[in-house]
Amino acid sequence: MDIDTLQGVKRCPLFKGLDESEIINLMHMVRYRVVRFRKGEILAIEGSVCQHADIIISGEMMANIMGPSGRIVRVATHQTGKLLAPAFLFASDNQYPVTVEATAETTVLRLTPNDLEKMLNSDQRLMMNYIRLLSNIISHLIKKVRMLTMSVREKVSLFLKEQSRLQQTDHILLPMSRQELADYFGIQKYSLLRCLNEMKRDGAILVEGRYIQILSLQ
């Protein structure tokens, strides 16, 4: 395993708590290959079978779905260290729920599900890290379901509070564009802009381009 591949694998939460020699020993137990994708190349199409455990070593990939109007909606952006679709590798219905496309030159370390299972069974830390990954996915999905019952303002408020916690500041840099944020909430862009303007008018926030300052948490 070359140094660049090792450094990319180290950033994967699956290997949290393991040092380089332990990772190398685990990788010697299995067969893996390094696959390279050009910008714009597709790793998986929505509805295709999830046949590999893919870890992004370098580059970036985008997960998107086709909306009912035919518009492509970005669901998530995946970068170095991301294990793709861990919840579907061993599922009875193991079809990709999204299309995954390289948005830059991207390198992926690829394992079969059987080889991943062999690694998980060989190290308790690896197994617990995998369980933690799945638990975090479930937690995220519960939040998304909860959002479906919220008003636009409640969705925006919850998102801003969460970003404030993650960035540890009330002066938040939005991690995505207005359109991407509207897609994330499942609303029209004009609804998002109207909500931000109302919150600004009510003295709850200040808006400065990609920055939003929270003035009131009420």
Side-chain angles (χ1 to χ4, degrees):
M1 176 179 288
D2 63 69
I3 187 65
D4 291 335
T5 301
L6 178 59
Q7 293 305 311
V9 169
K10 277 180 61 179
R11 293 179 62 178
C12 180
L14 182 64
F15 297 94
K16 183 178 181 181
L18 281 71
D19 61 32
E20 292 185 359
S21 62
E22 290 173 317
I23 294 173
I24 291 172
N25 288 336
L26 281 169
M27 299 309 294
H28 281 161
M29 294 172 46
V30 298
R31 293 183 178 181
Y32 68 88
R33 58 195 178 102
V34 175
V35 184
R36 292 176 172 80
F37 293 87
R38 297 184 299 274
K39 182 178 180 180
E41 197 169 352
I42 301 295
L43 179 141
I45 297 175
E46 182 179 351
S48 62
V49 175
C50 184
Q51 296 180 314
H52 305 102
D54 289 326
I55 300 172
I56 298 179
I57 301 305
S58 64
E60 180 182 87
M61 290 201 158
M62 177 181 70
N64 57 62
I65 59 175
M66 184 74 74
S69 64
R71 184 166 57 88
I72 293 177
V73 177
R74 177 176 296 196
V75 176
T77 300
H78 303 311
Q79 297 173 325
T80 301
K82 177 69 177 181
L83 172 62
L84 299 175
F88 294 91
L89 282 169
F90 303 108
S92 298
D93 182 8
N94 61 340
Q95 295 181 343
Y96 266 96
V98 295
T99 294
V100 183
E101 175 185 349
T103 52
E105 298 289 323
T106 302
T107 304
V108 168
L109 183 137
R110 174 164 285 178
L111 297 160
T112 66
N114 287 339
D115 278 329
L116 176 60
E117 183 180 1
K118 183 178 180 180
M119 290 171 61
L120 294 176
N121 289 330
S122 70
D123 193 301
Q124 186 66 23
R125 293 169 298 174
L126 215 64
M127 180 67 77
M128 286 307 301
N129 286 341
Y130 192 77
I131 292 172
R132 192 171 293 111
L133 278 172
L134 299 182
S135 298
N136 289 338
I137 290 171
I138 292 171
S139 176
H140 176 71
L141 289 176
I142 289 173
K143 289 179 181 178
K144 294 286 285 185
V145 171
R146 182 185 170 201
M147 268 196 175
L148 294 175
T149 66
M150 293 180 175
S151 68
V152 174
R153 183 155 180 157
E154 287 171 333
K155 291 179 181 180
V156 174
S157 296
L158 182 66
F159 178 83
L160 293 179
K161 288 178 182 179
E162 180 69 9
Q163 287 299 312
S164 178
R165 182 186 66 81
L166 291 173
Q167 299 182 30
Q168 298 183 331
T169 177
D170 288 339
H171 201 212
I172 302 160
L173 173 62
L174 291 178
M176 57 189 85
S177 69
R178 301 288 198 274
Q179 183 61 63
E180 290 169 341
L181 192 56
D183 291 339
Y184 175 79
F185 292 140
I187 61 177
Q188 296 295 323
K189 183 179 177 181
Y190 73 81
S191 298
L192 172 65
L193 297 178
R194 182 174 61 192
C195 177
L196 291 174
N197 286 332
E198 288 175 354
M199 294 175 75
K200 180 179 178 181
R201 183 194 63 207
D202 294 343
I205 61 173
L206 282 178
V207 181
E208 307 164 16
R210 288 286 290 267
Y211 285 93
I212 292 182
Q213 184 178 356
I214 298 175
L215 301 178
S216 171
L217 286 174
Q218 297 299 321

